[in-house]
Structures are given as structure tokens and as C-alpha cells.
């Protein structure tokens, strides 16, 4: 079984289409780690396209915000406005689908969480210390997370030491049961690691390999649609820089 692991699509249809085209034929099932909408211009289209592939899917903090399950007062102004816009345009079908998704689940030796196993909707695992604490909050060998929009792998080398491994692309990495890991595939629709290309990963459950991938997409097409809907210029511009 080969898994296409994607996260943080954020209503960016051009990016999602590019990932699906790039990975074509290389996977049997999608695992999606949450934040299907928010920020981008195509919420309903992204929900519909993802659903066509019958994924294992989680909800993220932006999905919760749009459903009214999360207070948006802690969102910054741009993110808040994007949530309010998406609340206006989202259709009943999309809303019902998002509402059906959990923020955390388990698939064999993998725990899947949108943000972190400790706080599945909220916590940002952006450093070794936060990763280290989180290893106590899941029992499986591996945990997959999104939320930070940065591809990275944290490995629990010992109780005191967590290794940080930045991504190496197109080079399958062997996952071993005796080295517990928290892994982030990066973001499809709004990368934040200074690389504007859509980020995703391929997980092979037979060989137990993890492969990071990046693919260029038509950023201008997404930006044009964001401007048309009056979404913030700062959100439009950041797609170009991967931030
Ligand atoms: Zn996100």
C-alpha cells in the first residue's frame, strides 16, 4: 500500500491539482492531515476534489474556525478575514464533510494529528523541545503532523535526545520501528519554508519508506483568484515566497 501524504491545502486548487498530477500512479490512498480550507480562493472546489479520492482525512484549526468550532479572536487579521470570507462562500456539502472529520486518528503504526499529538488542533511543533515533549503523547512508532507548513522529521534517538532532519527530496528514507519519529510533509497550498513549491510526501507501507517531494504549481492562477475575491494582498504575496 502506497500513501500520498498531504496537509494544509488551504483552498489552493492549483497547488492540489499539481500535487495529484505529480504523484500520479505512485499511490493507492491519500492521508490528509487537515486545513483543507482557509486562506485560499477555492474552498468548495478543493473539498470536492479531495473527496473524489476518498481519503483518510483530518480537520485542522482553519476548518474548525470556519465551522464555528474555534474562536477566531486569536487568528491574525488576515487569517480572520479569510475565515469570514470562506464562511460566506462555503456550501452545505463542504461544511458537512469538514464537520465529519476528526483532528486526530490512528492508521496502523501511524498516529495522524493535524497539529500535534498533545494538542491536535493548536500546537505548533517548530522546535526540538516541543517535539521531544510530544513523543509521550502517542503510543505508535510514528506520528504524522501538519499545521506548521514546514516539512521536517524529528526522531527520538533517546529519551534525552531528539534529532532534527530537514527534508531531502526524491530520496526514500527508511522508517524503522525502533526509531520513533514525528514527521511533517509540509504544506500543499501555503508553504512556509521559503520554497514556494507545493510540498507533499509518499509513504510506502510495504517497504516502510518516506519520500519528500516538491512540485511547482501555477502560483499566479491562485493569486489572481484571491485578488478577484478581495482576499488580503499579504496572503496573496506570501505564496510567491513560500512564507
Ligand atoms: Zn494550516
Amino acid at each position: 500500500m502506497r500513501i500520498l501524504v498531504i496537509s494544509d491545502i488551504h483552498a489552493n486548487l492549483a497547488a492540489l491539482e499539481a500535487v495529484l498530477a505529480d504523484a500520479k500512479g505512485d499511490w493507492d490512498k491519500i492521508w490528509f492531515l487537515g486545513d483543507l480550507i482557509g486562506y485560499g480562493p477555492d474552498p468548495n472546489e478543493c473539498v470536492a476534489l479531495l473527496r473524489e479520492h476518498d481519503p483518510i482525512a483530518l480537520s485542522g484549526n482553519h476548518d474548525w474556525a470556519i465551522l464555528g468550532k474555534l474562536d477566531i479572536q486569536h487568528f491574525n487579521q488576515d487569517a480572520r478575514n479569510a475565515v469570514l470570507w470562506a464562511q460566506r462562500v462555503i456550501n452545505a456539502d463542504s461544511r458537512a464533510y469538514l464537520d465529519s472529520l476528526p483532528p486526530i486518528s490512528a492508521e496502523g503504526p501511524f498516529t495522524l494529528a493535524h497539529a500535534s499529538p498533545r494538542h491536535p488542533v493548536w500546537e505548533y511543533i517548530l522546535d526540538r523541545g516541543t517535539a521531544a515533549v510530544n513523543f509521550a503523547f502517542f503510543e505508535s512508532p510514528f506520528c504524522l503532523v501538519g499545521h506548521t507548513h514546514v516539512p521536517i522529521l524529528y526522531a527520538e534517538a533517546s529519551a534525552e535526545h531528539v534529532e532534527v532532519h530537514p527534508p531531502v527530496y526524491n530520496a526514500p528514507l527508511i522508517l524503522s520501528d525502533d526509531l520513533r519519529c514525528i514527521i511533517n510533509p509540509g504544506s500543499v497550498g501555503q508553504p512556509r519554508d521559503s520554497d514556494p513549491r507545493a510540498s507533499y510526501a509518499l509513504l510506502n507501507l510495504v517497504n516502510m519508506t518516506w519520500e519528500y517531494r516538491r512540485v511547482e504549481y501555477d502560483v499566479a492562477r491562485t493569486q489572481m483568484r484571491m485578488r478577484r475575491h478581495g482576499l488580503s494582498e499579504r496572503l496573496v504575496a506570501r505564496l510567491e515566497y513560500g512564507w
Side-chain angles (χ1 to χ4, degrees):
M1 178 84 134
R2 299 159 309 162
I3 311 296
L4 172 61
V5 185
I6 53 178
S7 192
D8 297 276
I9 293 168
H10 283 295
N12 187 338
L13 183 65
L16 178 57
E17 286 176 348
V19 165
L20 293 173
D22 193 58
K24 201 171 178 60
D26 288 345
W27 54 274
D28 309 299
K29 187 82 181 169
I30 290 178
W31 290 358
F32 169 64
L33 305 177
D35 274 1
L36 184 40
I37 58 181
Y39 294 130
D42 305 301
N44 293 315
E45 294 82 353
C46 284
V47 172
L49 179 55
L50 186 69
R51 288 183 75 180
E52 270 177 34
H53 295 285
D54 188 28
I56 302 285
L58 303 182
S59 54
N61 55 313
H62 284 257
D63 305 318
W64 273 32
I66 283 151
L67 294 169
K69 289 181 172 181
L70 198 77
D71 193 340
I72 56 172
Q73 66 169 349
H74 300 298
F75 280 47
N76 66 49
Q77 187 68 42
D78 291 332
R80 196 158 55 229
N81 287 342
V83 166
L84 295 173
W85 175 79
Q87 280 176 336
R88 287 199 301 277
V89 300
I90 192 167
N91 63 37
D93 247 22
S94 300
R95 178 179 287 274
Y97 178 67
L98 292 174
D99 203 21
S100 73
L101 305 179
I104 188 163
S105 77
E107 295 298 324
F110 293 85
T111 298
L112 315 184
H114 174 62
S116 79
R118 178 167 63 170
H119 299 298
V121 180
W122 257 123
E123 183 174 36
Y124 289 89
I125 303 182
L126 281 165
D127 56 68
R128 192 192 305 261
T130 313
V133 173
N134 265 283
F135 278 101
F137 288 83
F138 65 101
E139 283 170 9
S140 58
F142 312 108
C143 179
L144 305 183
V145 297
H147 194 46
T148 65
H149 300 204
V150 176
I152 195 92
L153 184 151
Y154 298 97
E156 190 183 37
S158 70
E160 295 83 38
H161 185 61
V162 168
E163 293 171 356
V164 184
H165 297 279
V168 177
Y169 297 103
N170 309 308
L173 198 84
I174 294 169
L175 302 179
S176 152
D177 267 7
D178 29 280
L179 185 59
R180 298 179 76 219
C181 299
I182 297 174
I183 321 176
N184 191 320
S187 167
V188 170
Q190 194 200 71
R192 293 180 191 163
D193 59 345
S194 307
D195 181 341
R197 295 175 299 167
S199 188
Y200 70 98
L202 292 170
L203 170 63
N204 186 315
L205 296 179
V206 177
N207 305 335
M208 285 307 277
T209 58
W210 173 272
E211 181 180 345
Y212 287 105
R213 295 255 188 110
R214 289 309 269 258
V215 61
E216 281 184 23
Y217 72 95
D218 191 347
V219 174
R221 177 180 143 202
T222 299
Q223 290 178 314
M224 193 189 67
R225 292 183 50 71
M226 289 175 78
R227 289 195 175 104
R228 189 179 299 162
H229 294 303
L231 290 162
S232 124
E233 195 53 40
R234 191 178 148 270
L235 295 181
V236 173
R238 71 188 296 178
L239 294 179
E240 236 162 278
Y241 306 107
W243 187 250

